[in-house]
């Protein structure tokens, strides 16, 4: 037997905070060495943090990374252990995303990333160059300060692997695993048995299985030990890196770290037998044949042994059941951990949330409650960093610390129901009940006086006073009155967030939380600079459909029973007067259902459909319920209001990224914000197709799960209450 103990980790790094990052790197190496591991893998770009973005263009960032690496190599951190350290490196005139492989206070080789992530949230080609020379290893001259300190002038640089006496080890960096021709296939044929994948992978709902299947597939048919390391937490942006460091042997997961956690460092250890890898490869005829005519990959020889012989004192890691969270758990834990990092790193003293008693703001409140529960649980487990952060934020003294989530919420979470004459007693009651269940400090504020003052000022200036549509006013008056209420709430929220700490003799400030969902952002069903405008928004990339499922789950699993009643209530903005024959409803205002919005959003972004392609696809999807003409009207109606309201995305509150069809304009969904909302060419094409289908017999396949609810036609208001504003 060739027994090998390896360690990988989740690290909560913070972009550009080198001291924080070095502390976590050192802690992970210390823990790995204490467990007897001889290989330690860290996340991609762990020295700088993955999310530095344009800071990577600054020479200071590269210099500081080398300074940190020098500190590691001058100490005893790498003694007796192979460490893969992620950092940017400049070679000649090019900047590379690299894994620096070190052992025994020496740099063994530098492996630059060959295939860069450059879609979705990723822009690596903006900052880095892909390494393209696969035939040989270059000789890289180390920076003079590093060279003199280490007494090492140069190091092999490029695509290759390390050949130890008893095994071969290689790096495969993040995106390379998912490329059409991943390096691990070629490396396996060259005898590499241990693969180290350093990653900076963010959370997205229902994504984890894709990642884990890739790890298992990498070694299922060709054998090997596949190690995966990831960042975990908010490193300064919209993404939550969701950890889940793991170790896979011959296609089986033998160790898996947490996906969501408040810990800064989590190290995963496994004891594996490399003879099991050799045995599997020897049993696969096609592997043997391809290995016999392989393209040779360069290597660096290290006269060192990593494995141990048969020893009953060492227990082999066995396959384990993979841990997957439900989407509802992902919505609870992912944003909760992201918000905790944002709160503790921003210097804020807590959160303030305008709580309307509706589904969206109640979802945000429940996530904050979940965060408080996670903090108390982690403190109970003995995490001193979480305890220190909680004590500072919660203003604890005299040796006290959080032991009850409701008591902790009372210190850091403030909710405000900002009711008007248009608000119902039901939403007011639900907001108060939910705040009590969570433990939040709740305020009930009537904004009628503020709104009336603004209207009086308007009347003084213009001589006119607007009326609601139900009272005989025009569409312009109706829209203006709704927007006044919405914007007053935003102003009051920020005023309370800045002054309530002073009122309560607390230091700092409160972060204002937004609560618009991804579907409303896509449709533009929100007032520009209303309560959707905040410091951060934990649900801005989550669909209404998923939020309603989350509310049902949270009512029982988080212990907030009022959420069940909130979920059952029809969504309404409560910005217009309630009459016996009229009640404002979101889906009627929008002219489409939330289920339909999710379909439009996925087709627009994920499947890259313009108006014509979307129409054609929906003719098949909805053809059993709707005629082509009806589908055409729905598609045109969506694109009309999507384009009219696209400008709102330019000022959208920074939101937790969770959904692949997010319309977030700043990083993810890059499109213009001034459209010809008539789409004359595209809509004409749709009309021509519909005309061509008139009179024809069209057969559409039945689709499993298709229902009246999914495609139900909602009577569209002639005026959008948020259009263009």
């Amino acid at each position: 037997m060739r027994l090998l103990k390896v360690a990988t980790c989740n690290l909560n790094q913070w972009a550009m905070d080198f001291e924080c990052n070095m502390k976590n790197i050192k802690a992970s190496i210390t823990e790995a060495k204490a467990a007897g591991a001889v290989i330690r893998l860290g996340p991609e770009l762990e020295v700088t943090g993955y999310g530095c973005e344009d800071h990577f263009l600054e020479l200071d960032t590269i210099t500081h990374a080398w300074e940190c690496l020098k500190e590691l190599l001058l100490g005893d951190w790498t003694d007796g252990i192979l460490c893969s350290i992620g950092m940017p490196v400049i070679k000649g005139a090019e900047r590379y995303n690299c894994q620096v492989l070190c052992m025994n206070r020496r740099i063994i080789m530098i492996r630059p990333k060959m295939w860069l992530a450059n879609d979705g949230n990723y822009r690596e080609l903006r900052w880095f160059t892909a390494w393209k020379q696969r035939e040989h290893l270059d000789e890289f001259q180390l920076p003079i300060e590093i060279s003199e300190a280490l007494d090492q002038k140069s190091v092999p640089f490029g695509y290759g692997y390390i050949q130890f006496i008893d095994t071969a080890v290689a790096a495969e960096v993040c995106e390379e695993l998912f490329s059409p021709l991943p390096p691990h296939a070629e490396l396996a044929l060259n005898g590499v048995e241990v693969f180290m994948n350093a990653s900076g992978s963010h959370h997205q709902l229902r994504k984890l299985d894709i990642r884990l299947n890739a790890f298992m597939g990498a070694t299922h048919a060709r054998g090997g030990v596949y190690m995966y390391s990831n960042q975990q937490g908010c490193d300064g942006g919209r993404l939550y890196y969701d950890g889940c460091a793991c170790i896979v042997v011959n296609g089986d997961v033998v160790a898996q770290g947490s996906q969501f956690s408040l810990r800064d460092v989590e190290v995963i250890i496994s004891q594996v037998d490399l003879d099991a890898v050799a045995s599997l490869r020897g049993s696969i005829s096609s592997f043997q044949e391809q290995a016999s005519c392989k393209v040779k990959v360069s290597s660096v020889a290290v006269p060192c042994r990593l494995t141990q012989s048969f020893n009953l004192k060492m227990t082999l890691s066995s396959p384990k059941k993979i841990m997957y969270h439900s989407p509802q758990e992902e919505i609870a834990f992912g944003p909760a951990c992201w918000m905790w990092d944002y709160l503790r790193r921003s210097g804020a003293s807590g959160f303030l949330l305008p709580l309307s008693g509706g589904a969206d703001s109640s979802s945000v409140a429940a996530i904050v409650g979940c965060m408080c529960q996670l903090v108390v649980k982690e403190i109970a487990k003995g995490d001193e960093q979480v305890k220190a952060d909680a004590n500072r934020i919660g203003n604890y003294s005299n040796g006290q610390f959080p032991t009850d989530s409701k008591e902790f919420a009372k210190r850091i979470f403030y909710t405000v129901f900002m009711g008007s004459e248009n608000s119902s007693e039901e939403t007011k009651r639900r907001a108060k009940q939910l705040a009590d269940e969570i433990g939040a400090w709740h305020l009930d504020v009537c904004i009628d006086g503020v709104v009336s003052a603004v209207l009086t000022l308007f009347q003084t200036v213009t001589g006119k006073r607007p009326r609601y549509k139900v009272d005989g006013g025009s569409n312009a008056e109706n829209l203006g009155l709704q927007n006044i209420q919405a914007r007053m709430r935003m102003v009051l929220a920020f005023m309370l967030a800045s002054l309530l700490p002073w009122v309560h003799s607390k230091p700092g400030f409160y972060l204002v939380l937004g609560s618009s969902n991804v579907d409303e952002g896509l449709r533009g069903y929100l007032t520009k600079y209303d309560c959707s405008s905040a410091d951060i928004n934990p649900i801005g990339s989550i669909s209404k459909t998923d939020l309603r499922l989350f509310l049902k789950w949270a009512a029982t699993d988080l212990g907030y029973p009022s959420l069940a009643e909130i979920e059952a209530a029809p969504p309404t903005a409560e910005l217009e007067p309630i009459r016996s024959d009229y009640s404002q409803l979101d889906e009627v205002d929008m002219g489409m259902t939330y289920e339909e919005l999710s379909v439009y959003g996925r087709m627009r972004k994920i499947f890259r459909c313009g108006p014509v392609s979307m129409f054609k696809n929906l003719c098949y999807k909805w053809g059993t319920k709707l005629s082509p003409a009806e589908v055409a009207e729905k598609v045109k109606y969506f694109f009309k209001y999507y384009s009219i309201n696209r400008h709102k995305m330019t000022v959208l509150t920074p939101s937790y990224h969770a959904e692949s069809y997010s319309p977030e304009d700043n990083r993810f969904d890059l499109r213009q914000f001034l459209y010809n909302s008539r789409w004359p060419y595209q809509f004409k094409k749709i009309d021509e197709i519909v005309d061509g289908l008139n009179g024809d017999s069209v057969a559409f396949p039945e689709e499993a799960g298709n229902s009246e609810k999914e495609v139900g036609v909602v009577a569209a208001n002639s005026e959008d209450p948020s259009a263009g504003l």
Side-chain angles (χ1 to χ4, degrees):
M1 300 184 84
R2 290 177 295 146
L3 303 180
L4 179 72
K5 184 168 281 191
V6 297
T8 184
C9 58
N10 297 324
L11 298 186
N12 193 336
Q13 306 299 78
W14 190 3
M16 299 301 292
D17 188 338
F18 292 91
E19 289 188 356
C20 165
N21 298 343
M22 281 293 288
K23 177 184 175 183
N24 293 342
I25 292 170
K26 289 177 179 179
S28 68
I29 295 175
T30 298
E31 189 171 338
K33 291 176 71 174
V38 292
I39 297 177
R40 176 269 180 195
L41 171 65
E44 184 177 12
L45 296 168
E46 60 183 314
V47 175
T48 58
Y50 183 85
C52 295
E53 298 185 321
D54 280 1
H55 285 296
F56 285 126
L57 303 179
E58 301 165 4
L59 289 179
D60 278 1
T61 304
I62 312 299
T63 300
H64 297 330
W66 278 113
E67 291 166 350
C68 291
L69 182 66
K70 181 176 73 171
E71 181 182 338
L72 287 174
L73 292 173
L74 290 179
D76 62 357
W77 306 101
T78 63
D79 289 356
I81 186 169
L82 173 66
C83 291
S84 180
I85 308 293
M87 58 178 274
V89 173
I90 291 179
K91 181 180 186 295
E94 306 93 42
R95 185 184 297 100
Y96 295 99
N97 176 349
C98 296
Q99 289 301 117
V100 182
L101 306 177
C102 311
M103 189 175 188
N104 295 329
R105 310 190 188 200
R106 306 283 287 180
I107 300 174
I108 299 175
M109 71 174 289
I110 298 177
R111 164 67 154 84
K113 191 173 182 179
M114 297 188 295
W115 308 114
L116 301 178
N118 206 57
D119 55 5
N121 286 294
Y122 298 104
R123 298 285 181 276
E124 290 185 14
L125 280 171
R126 180 181 175 96
W127 311 300
F128 300 110
T129 299
W131 182 255
K132 302 176 182 69
Q133 301 176 36
R134 300 169 61 94
E135 296 77 19
H136 62 276
L137 289 168
D138 282 2
E139 200 66 20
F140 174 73
Q141 299 298 316
L142 291 171
I144 187 66
E145 297 85 357
I146 307 300
S147 175
E148 292 177 351
L150 302 181
D151 193 24
Q152 181 180 3
K153 293 183 178 180
S154 63
V155 61
F157 186 104
Y159 171 56
Y161 62 93
I162 303 175
Q163 181 65 63
F164 291 94
I165 294 174
D166 49 353
T167 189
V169 180
E172 182 171 67
V173 189
C174 196
E175 178 73 10
E176 294 175 349
L177 168 65
F178 302 98
S179 63
L181 295 173
H184 68 257
E186 184 177 52
L187 291 166
L189 296 176
N190 277 265
V192 173
E193 295 177 310
V194 181
F195 305 94
M196 303 182 295
N197 188 313
S199 182
S201 187
H202 68 273
H203 172 241
Q204 192 166 285
L205 288 173
R206 305 173 179 91
K207 174 187 174 184
L208 182 60
D209 63 324
I210 297 174
R211 197 187 307 164
L212 286 173
N213 286 337
F215 304 150
M216 293 185 287
T219 60
H220 177 75
R222 57 182 67 90
V225 176
Y226 205 95
M227 303 168 60
Y228 171 77
S229 177
N230 194 15
Q231 287 192 192
Q232 185 174 60
C234 167
D235 80 339
R238 292 164 172 80
L239 305 183
Y240 177 79
Y241 299 93
D242 62 339
C244 203
C246 63
I247 299 168
V248 178
V249 179
N250 291 349
D252 293 320
V253 176
V254 298
Q256 179 186 1
S258 64
Q259 187 177 12
F260 309 109
S261 174
L262 302 185
R263 285 174 285 178
D264 284 343
V265 177
E266 181 182 6
V267 178
I268 310 302
I269 307 289
S270 276
Q271 178 88 14
V272 300
D273 177 17
L274 294 182
D275 277 355
V277 175
S279 176
L280 175 62
R281 290 177 175 178
S283 69
I284 303 173
S285 176
S286 59
F287 184 92
Q288 298 288 302
E289 291 298 317
Q290 291 183 5
S292 68
C293 58
K294 61 183 176 291
V295 175
K296 289 191 175 181
V297 177
S298 301
S299 63
V300 178
V302 176
C304 178
R305 181 186 175 98
L306 295 182
T307 63
Q308 297 185 37
S309 301
F310 175 70
N311 184 350
L312 285 177
K313 293 181 179 180
M314 302 176 70
T315 305
L316 286 178
S317 300
S318 56
K320 62 179 294 181
K321 183 179 180 181
I322 300 173
M323 170 62 185
Y324 290 114
H325 288 285
S326 68
Q328 293 87 339
E329 290 173 328
E330 292 184 79
I331 292 171
F333 302 142
C337 293
W338 179 76
M339 290 169 67
W340 175 248
D341 280 341
Y342 200 105
L343 177 62
R344 69 190 181 112
R345 288 171 171 170
S346 68
S349 301
F351 294 119
L352 184 136
L353 171 69
L355 182 59
S356 70
D360 293 334
S361 61
S362 296
S363 295
V364 174
I367 291 170
V368 177
C370 177
M371 183 200 78
C372 293
Q373 293 180 17
L374 292 175
V375 168
V376 170
K377 288 178 182 177
E378 204 60 44
I379 292 174
K381 293 177 183 178
D383 192 307
E384 290 299 323
Q385 185 60 58
V386 174
K387 182 178 178 180
D389 289 331
N391 285 349
R392 175 180 53 82
I393 296 167
N395 205 25
Y396 287 88
S397 59
N398 300 322
Q400 294 181 317
F401 56 87
T403 57
D404 178 79
S405 63
K406 293 183 68 173
E407 187 275 334
F408 184 52
K410 196 78 170 181
R411 290 173 175 260
I412 70 161
F413 187 33
Y414 293 77
T415 56
V416 188
F417 180 81
M418 290 184 271
S420 73
E421 60 183 357
N422 302 320
S423 303
S424 67
E425 287 298 319
E426 288 80 8
T427 53
K428 178 179 177 179
R429 174 184 54 80
R430 289 196 291 260
K432 176 67 165 63
Q433 186 177 351
L434 177 59
D436 289 343
E437 290 171 356
I438 294 170
W441 187 289
H442 187 68
L443 298 174
D444 185 354
V445 178
C446 179
I447 67 170
D448 287 337
V450 180
V451 173
S452 178
V454 173
L455 291 175
T456 299
L457 174 62
F458 179 84
Q459 187 174 14
T460 300
V461 173
T462 66
K464 291 188 176 183
R465 193 176 186 93
R467 295 177 297 167
Y468 289 103
K469 195 172 183 179
V470 294
D471 295 327
S474 65
N475 288 321
E477 294 171 76
N478 195 61
L479 181 57
L481 287 171
Q482 293 182 68
N483 288 338
I484 289 170
Q485 297 170 69
R487 289 177 176 138
M488 286 300 100
R489 286 176 173 138
M490 185 271 289
V491 173
L492 288 171
F494 276 96
M495 183 187 74
L496 290 168
S498 63
L499 292 177
L500 276 179
W502 166 70
V503 171
H504 294 150
S505 301
K506 290 183 63 177
F509 59 95
Y510 298 146
L511 293 166
V512 178
L513 298 178
S515 58
S516 60
N517 62 64
V518 70
D519 298 320
E520 290 170 349
L522 175 67
R523 168 62 171 74
Y525 185 67
L526 52 94
T527 301
K528 205 172 187 179
Y529 306 118
D530 67 349
C531 279
S532 64
S533 297
D535 289 308
I536 55 173
N537 180 357
I539 66 166
S541 183
I542 302 175
S543 72
K544 190 78 163 189
T545 301
D546 279 337
L547 286 175
R548 299 191 76 160
L549 293 173
F550 163 72
L551 289 174
K552 290 180 180 179
W553 172 86
T556 54
D557 288 69
L558 292 182
Y560 307 139
S562 65
L563 293 176
E565 181 184 353
I566 292 169
E567 187 279 329
T572 173
E574 290 196 332
L575 292 171
E576 296 182 71
I578 300 172
R579 298 287 188 265
S580 59
D581 60 345
Y582 177 76
S583 180
Q584 185 179 23
L585 296 174
D586 288 355
E587 292 183 329
V588 175
D589 277 350
M590 292 191 298
M592 59 192 73
T593 66
Y594 282 107
E595 287 82 3
E596 288 172 341
L597 262 175
S598 290
V599 173
Y600 298 144
R602 287 184 167 85
M603 298 198 76
R604 181 196 69 98
K605 178 66 177 176
I606 301 174
F607 298 104
R608 298 164 294 280
C609 288
V612 177
S613 295
M614 185 182 293
F615 162 71
K616 291 178 178 178
N617 279 278
L618 289 181
C619 278
Y620 287 105
K621 184 176 181 64
W622 291 346
T624 57
K625 304 297 181 182
L626 300 175
S627 70
E630 289 173 318
V631 173
E633 287 307 308
K634 282 181 170 289
V635 170
K636 289 191 285 185
Y637 189 83
F638 164 72
F639 272 100
K640 174 185 176 181
Y641 283 105
Y642 155 75
S643 55
I644 286 174
N645 291 303
R646 177 67 189 183
H647 66 97
K648 297 177 183 178
M649 297 303 96
T650 64
V651 295
L652 197 68
T653 295
S655 301
Y656 178 97
H657 180 87
E659 183 57 76
S660 54
Y661 71 92
S662 170
E664 187 267 307
D665 176 83
N666 193 267
R667 294 285 193 280
F668 184 67
D669 188 42
L670 307 181
R671 301 165 196 254
Q672 72 209 66
F673 56 85
L674 177 61
Y675 283 89
N676 183 342
S677 61
R678 298 188 306 276
W679 297 81
Y681 186 88
Q682 295 91 330
F683 287 4
K684 181 181 177 182
K685 285 291 182 183
I686 292 175
D687 291 338
E688 289 173 356
I689 296 171
V690 172
D691 290 341
L693 293 173
N694 285 339
D696 293 342
S697 177
V698 183
F700 294 104
E702 280 290 339
E703 182 184 35
N706 210 345
S707 67
E708 290 287 353
K709 180 181 180 183
E710 181 185 10
V711 301
V713 181
V714 177
N717 241 345
S718 60
E719 293 293 330
D720 179 10
S722 59
L725 297 175

